[in-house]
Amino acid sequence: MLTVKCLSEKLQKVAIEELNEIPSRVEEDIENLRNWIRKQSHLKSRTDDQFLLIFLRGCKFSLEKAKSKIDRFYALKTKHPELFTTQTMDEKTVYEILKLDTFVSLPIPLNGDGPRIQYIRFGAYPADKYTFTQVISIYHTSQELAAREDDYSVVNGYIQLLDTSALTYSHVMQITPLIVKKMITFVEDAVPTRLRAIHCVNTSPVYDKLFNMIKHVLPERFQQRLHVHSTLNSLLEHIPQEFLPRELSGRNGSLEELQHQGYKRFLDYQDYLKDDLNYRNNESLRTHALLDYDELFGVDGTFRKLDID
């Protein structure tokens, strides 16, 4: 018997029509994916029903795509734990960063039943105390935990609303094109939830400097999802005001109301996170080829000089 969360009637309709989900076959599809995982000597993956169903939905029930995505999910977590897990950080630092509320999920999805909206205060952390790598590793882990709870994000995807008002040159100095390339690769190759759009607001010359530094590593399809808004009216053409946070003159929750949302989730999933260390790839046992991420990422570059006016 399946142990999965039941979708609402509306979301189930979307899953059937847009994700190719056939309710009568879900149990069989999950079992086929689980059996494949068990035969992979290099791959030690979670195999609970909910975890596998998230990947199947994220791949529109293509078994082959789900296999590839799970393999890459663990390959990248194993290869770059500093970016895609919190295992390289001490617990105190993790919870300190979580309490900064740099990213929250707004309570009402877009248009009431569409993609989940994530409000991200880009740069809202002291750059002299924490690094971008630390913050982004917590974000990626939070995404994994949220996917187990948030059906809207799994079925309809999610939208990132990036408020860059707190971004400084000190933050920019922590963000290399290689880090950005790894992040985008993880989102596109490994994450089972779909990023539908990114909307940047409160931009400044600092943001412009960052974008100019990293734009050459942004795939064309990614750039097509990226929207930069110089005015609130421009943003409202994509997200109606009632679905924005109060910090952006909306009515869809506020940081005060959503305070420590991620912190509470991490507390609830303490056992899950400790257990997560048991699930990784052993590439020495791999019997088939995978994309060569060393070749893809190349050698890390550094910003030799920032022309700060």
Side-chain angles (χ1 to χ4, degrees):
M1 181 177 178
L2 280 178
T3 307
V4 297
K5 294 173 72 238
C6 292
L7 295 178
S8 68
E9 185 176 346
K10 282 188 176 181
L11 283 179
Q12 185 64 77
K13 186 173 185 292
V14 174
I16 292 170
E17 294 179 353
E18 299 183 14
L19 305 184
N20 304 317
E21 183 168 324
I22 302 174
S24 62
R25 280 184 42 186
V26 166
E27 186 169 2
E28 180 184 350
D29 290 334
I30 289 175
E31 192 58 31
N32 286 336
L33 184 54
R34 182 182 291 119
N35 287 336
W36 175 83
I37 290 171
R38 287 171 176 163
K39 294 174 183 177
Q40 308 311 304
S41 57
H42 71 284
L43 174 61
K44 190 171 183 185
S45 164
R46 292 184 183 276
T47 57
D48 63 272
D49 292 342
Q50 190 68 44
F51 180 83
L52 299 183
L53 181 55
I54 290 169
F55 276 87
L56 285 166
R57 283 174 173 157
C59 297
K60 297 187 176 181
F61 277 82
S62 165
L63 183 59
E64 294 308 310
K65 288 182 180 179
K67 291 175 184 178
S68 175
K69 186 151 282 197
I70 287 178
D71 195 355
R72 293 171 187 230
F73 179 75
Y74 283 112
L76 286 167
K77 286 181 69 168
T78 302
K79 190 172 185 61
H80 299 291
E82 77 285 354
L83 274 177
F84 307 125
T85 78
T86 57
Q87 72 184 70
T88 61
M89 299 169 58
D90 63 89
E91 190 174 272
K92 178 175 179 291
T93 301
V94 171
Y95 285 107
E96 285 177 355
I97 294 174
L98 283 167
K99 287 182 178 179
L100 296 174
D101 294 319
T102 58
F103 40 83
V104 295
S105 292
L106 301 183
I108 304 174
L110 182 64
N111 300 322
D113 56 5
R116 179 65 65 190
I117 304 171
Q118 298 176 353
Y119 179 43
I120 301 175
R121 298 188 301 146
F122 198 29
Y125 65 92
D128 59 344
K129 187 173 183 181
Y130 307 111
T131 68
F132 178 74
T133 297
Q134 289 175 318
V135 174
I136 205 65
S137 70
I138 294 173
Y139 170 76
H140 285 132
T141 303
S142 297
Q143 283 280 82
E144 179 180 345
L145 301 183
R148 299 186 70 90
E149 301 176 350
D150 185 9
D151 294 329
Y152 287 99
S153 181
V154 172
V155 175
N156 289 329
Y158 63 99
I159 293 170
Q160 290 183 340
L161 180 55
L162 265 59
D163 185 337
T164 64
S165 57
L167 190 67
T168 69
Y169 285 109
S170 294
H171 294 108
V172 171
M173 289 295 294
Q174 297 179 347
I175 307 171
T176 69
L178 179 58
I179 289 175
V180 174
K181 191 168 188 177
K182 289 177 181 177
M183 289 167 51
I184 293 173
T185 299
F186 191 64
V187 168
E188 296 198 326
D189 287 7
V191 174
T193 49
R194 294 173 295 152
L195 175 59
R196 308 294 292 268
I198 302 174
H199 296 278
C200 297
V201 296
N202 293 326
T203 57
S204 68
V206 180
Y207 170 84
D208 294 338
K209 177 69 71 174
L210 174 62
F211 182 76
N212 287 334
M213 288 176 169
I214 65 174
K215 63 183 179 182
H216 68 280
V217 301
L218 302 180
E220 180 62 31
R221 59 187 176 278
F222 193 88
Q223 294 190 41
Q224 290 172 356
R225 300 178 201 153
L226 180 64
H227 308 273
V228 181
H229 304 282
S230 57
T231 66
L232 182 61
N233 286 338
S234 172
L235 176 63
L236 293 177
E237 293 177 8
H238 300 266
I239 304 177
Q241 190 163 2
E242 64 186 291
F243 299 108
L244 295 175
R246 289 211 179 101
E247 286 77 9
L248 296 176
S249 304
R251 298 187 293 277
N252 194 6
S254 67
L255 289 176
E256 182 178 0
E257 294 172 355
L258 303 170
Q259 190 175 30
H260 303 343
Q261 179 188 85
Y263 176 83
K264 293 172 184 175
R265 180 174 287 131
F266 266 64
L267 287 178
D268 292 341
Y269 279 90
Q270 275 187 326
D271 291 341
Y272 180 97
L273 292 171
K274 290 176 182 177
D275 186 44
D276 187 58
L277 289 171
N278 294 315
Y279 304 103
R280 294 292 183 267
N281 278 13
N282 183 344
E283 295 298 333
S284 67
L285 300 177
R286 181 181 292 278
T287 59
H288 60 279
L290 183 71
L291 179 65
D292 187 341
Y293 286 112
D294 285 330
E295 182 179 344
L296 175 66
F297 295 144
V299 179
D300 195 357
T302 57
F303 298 128
R304 296 178 181 176
K305 181 181 178 182
L306 271 178
D307 296 321
I308 300 176
D309 296 327

